[in-house]
Amino acid sequence: MSYGVTGTTLRVMTHIPPPAVELQLLDAELHQLDARRAQLLHRRAWLLTALQPAWSAPVPPPRPAATPRREATAPGVQNLLLLLGGLLLTLAATAFTLVSWGSMGIAGRALVLGAVTLAALGAPVLLLRRGLRSTAESFAGIGLVLTVLDTYALHEVAFADADGATFAAAATTVLAALWAAYGIGTAALPRPAVTRPATSTEPGTTLVLPFPAALVVAQLTLVLWVIAAGGGMHTITAAVLMTAVIDMMIALRVAPKAVRAVAVGGAFAMGGWGVLAAGLISLSAAGPGAAARAAALLVLAAAGAFGAAWLVPGPRLRTVTAATGGLLVVAALGGLLRVPLPFDWTVLGYLACGIGLLALVRSPLPEPVRRGLGGASAAVQAIALLWTVPVVVTTVFGPISWVSRVWSGAPVDARAAATLDIGWPERQTAAPLVLVAVAAVLALTVRSTTWRPRALPAALTLAWLTATIVPAALQLPYAIDLLAQGLIAVALLCLAHRTATVLALLTSLGLATLSLASEPATLAVLASLTALLAGAAWRGRLAPVCAAFSLGYATALACAVGASLNWQPQHTALLVLVVPVTAALLAARLTDPVTTVVVEVSGAVAGVLAIGLATTELPMLALVLALSGVIVAGTATRPERRNLGYAAAALFVLASWVRLGAWNVNDPEAYTLPVTVPALFVGALRRRRDPSATSWTAYGPGLAATLAPSLLAAWTDPHWTRPLLLGTAALIVTLLGARHRLQAPLVLGGTTLALDALHELAPYLAQVVGALPRWAPPALAGLLLLALGATYEQRIRDARRVREVLGRMN
């Protein structure tokens, strides 16, 4: 083969197999591999499921033998036994000293008590050397109690005629010194040798009880010495406060926890006692000198509190102590101002001092201290506001009493208008100044971005309360009070703020109740509030609420106008219907859905009120119902209120029924036909628009509304006119149902016709049944059953023939 022939042949040769076939082979192999992989995975899952119970239930290890549970620790048992033993010995010693003392001589008494006391106080020394600290503490406690008994015995024997206060002061001083020395002496004892290094859990070699006991006894030492020296209330209070300051210093400087705990408790107890006594002295001070001495006591307590604020650890505790110091400073300065000021203005003096603390809040003091001073100022202002609560409650809620005394006569002034059934709080002339002062503080001093949005509404509320109570506090004339309340409402509505609008609505309520005292005031106020709140709603000031209030005041105005014209309630109802008409017209023009619903509901409430006023006279009630139906029907013309058409129809029906009742019409057809005719007309329209609607839905309610009551009336009617007319109507309905193949007219008309005919033929049927033999009814029943069976068989045969014809055609 030549070279050229070979080259040509290689160029035209194809791959074996071709690429398409090779691709198919690869796809087949991959498919088989996937199938095999799926089979293996399925088998693996089955094996895991089969082995799961064996893996999940390992053989439990053998349980160790149960050991009895110990319900008390050894140290606990030890301490309990020592406590009980010490208590029993103490009681025994006390009983011996108080009861059996008189049976022994002086030498015996001294010998017994001295020996027992020395033994009790010396035993801890030996016990500490052996490392028995708990037992040593118990004997030390017994020894300390015995020293008290020794003191009592010494007083009874040697100092029975001495001054009690002087002896008590000396005894507490000596006991405190001896107990402290005893604690120092036991602490200086050499420690016992130990075989292992001591840890934090090892018992110590120093008694704990003597130092706290000495501090407890020392609490009364200074006070008793002052009493023994003949000091008065001021000096005794100063001694109590000094004791509290000393306790505070001990608590901050002494390391042992027991001593520190006693010092803290003493500081709080003595400090509270001293502050309470100083406060009572300040409040009862009759002159500048007494007030200055009381202020000095409070300043001493405040100095201790501020010292603690600089020394105590932790920002929260420092804030609390600083707040306490600030309150004490306010009490001191306010007590000085209380003497020259009238009693009614005392609260203003304390409030001024509390506000003055805010000057220190911006000073370069530590942050916890400044925070505490701010809290103290806030507390003083809150207490001052609580003092004004009686005046505020009387002014705001007092006019409600006019609801039960409408138009009984205008009061002489604003205070008389607010205190119709209650008295005016005494000695609270400065209440408006307190409110305005706190409002000014909130508005001017609170600059924090967190608290300012809350402070401004609070300041506005306090300013509103101030303006509200000023007329009553100053006993302004009644007309001036009404004018002031109206101006307040207008001013609040001019502010574009939610809180201001709410306060304006509250003001309108108070103004409305306040105006009930006089007829001209009621008419003028209600008309003004209606227009004012309508304008506020139009400007978007809480539109739903303002619109509801406006319509409510309009309803009240309509009632007031009717009463002013001496109209009867049923005639006033026509005037009240103006409100639903207005509400319906407004709702059609509003775009806010919430305001629209509120306006419609308010109009509906006014309509219900009108219906209630008209119930005293049936013809007027029918007219009011008809007019209400017109209003509702007009509302139902809006696309989103189509469902109100049913309510309008119900009102029209009720109006017609009430009118018929007023005419003494007793025929049920007069009540049912006004329902049936519109219902059938609506049903016909629905069937025309929706051919799939059933006759029961379209015509059933309308036909049943007349046929059922008429049938009941026909069965009790002795005359023939109603049954004849009812039968004729039922026959027409049945024929129309048959003509148009409608089930509801056919069934209802046929049933009514049959029952009406049965009622008319009942006497004759009774006569026929009485004349027939007894075998006739069973025979008639048998014939009926035979006829039904024959008809059923005929239907079956016809169906079989149709099936055979269809089979031959196929």
Side-chain angles (χ1 to χ4, degrees), residues 240-557:
V240 172
L241 293 175
M242 286 299 300
T243 304
V245 173
I246 295 172
D247 288 335
M248 182 194 68
M249 299 302 297
I250 293 174
L252 294 174
R253 297 301 182 185
V254 176
K257 293 183 179 180
V259 178
R260 192 162 59 247
V262 172
V264 170
F268 278 104
M270 302 300 285
W273 177 16
V275 168
L276 179 61
L280 294 176
I281 294 173
S282 177
L283 292 177
S284 60
R293 290 191 294 271
L297 294 175
L298 292 172
V299 169
L300 175 62
F306 283 124
W310 258 269
L311 298 176
V312 296
R316 181 172 301 179
L317 190 58
R318 298 179 69 183
T319 300
V320 173
T321 52
T324 304
L327 291 175
L328 292 174
V329 170
V330 170
L333 299 180
L336 292 175
L337 296 176
R338 186 189 63 83
V339 177
L341 291 176
F343 184 81
D344 297 359
W345 296 74
T346 302
V347 175
L348 274 179
Y350 285 100
L351 178 60
C353 297
I355 295 174
L357 288 179
L358 295 176
L360 299 176
V361 175
R362 299 184 180 277
S363 62
L365 294 173
E367 176 63 23
V369 176
R370 290 190 286 112
R371 191 183 304 114
L373 293 175
S377 177
V380 172
Q381 296 177 56
I383 295 172
L385 291 178
L386 289 177
W387 178 76
T388 65
V389 167
V391 174
V392 172
V393 172
T394 302
T395 306
V396 174
F397 297 100
I400 297 177
S401 302
W402 289 106
V403 175
S404 60
R405 303 180 186 181
V406 178
W407 296 354
S408 59
V412 293
D413 54 32
R415 182 175 295 184
T419 57
L420 186 62
D421 293 332
I422 56 178
W424 182 258
E426 298 181 357
R427 299 182 179 274
Q428 288 195 340
T429 308
L433 295 178
V434 171
L435 293 172
V436 74
V438 178
V441 169
L442 291 174
L444 299 177
T445 62
V446 179
R447 299 296 182 184
S448 173
T449 56
T450 303
W451 290 99
R452 187 162 183 79
R454 307 175 187 177
L456 290 180
L460 181 60
T461 303
L462 293 177
W464 168 71
L465 289 175
T466 304
T468 303
I469 68 174
V470 161
L474 300 180
Q475 294 183 320
L476 298 179
Y478 174 68
I480 299 298
D481 188 16
L482 293 178
L483 180 61
Q485 300 299 325
L487 293 176
I488 292 172
V490 173
L492 290 172
L493 288 176
C494 292
L495 298 177
H497 196 277
R498 184 181 297 269
T499 303
T501 304
V502 173
L503 295 177
L505 295 176
L506 294 177
T507 304
S508 68
L509 289 174
L511 180 58
T513 55
L514 196 63
S515 67
L516 296 177
S518 172
E519 177 180 348
T522 301
L523 297 176
V525 166
L526 291 178
S528 302
L529 290 178
T530 300
L532 178 64
L533 294 177
W538 191 261
R539 291 173 60 89
R541 302 287 192 269
L542 287 180
V545 183
C546 288
F549 270 75
S550 178
L551 292 174
Y553 289 135
T555 304
L557 177 62

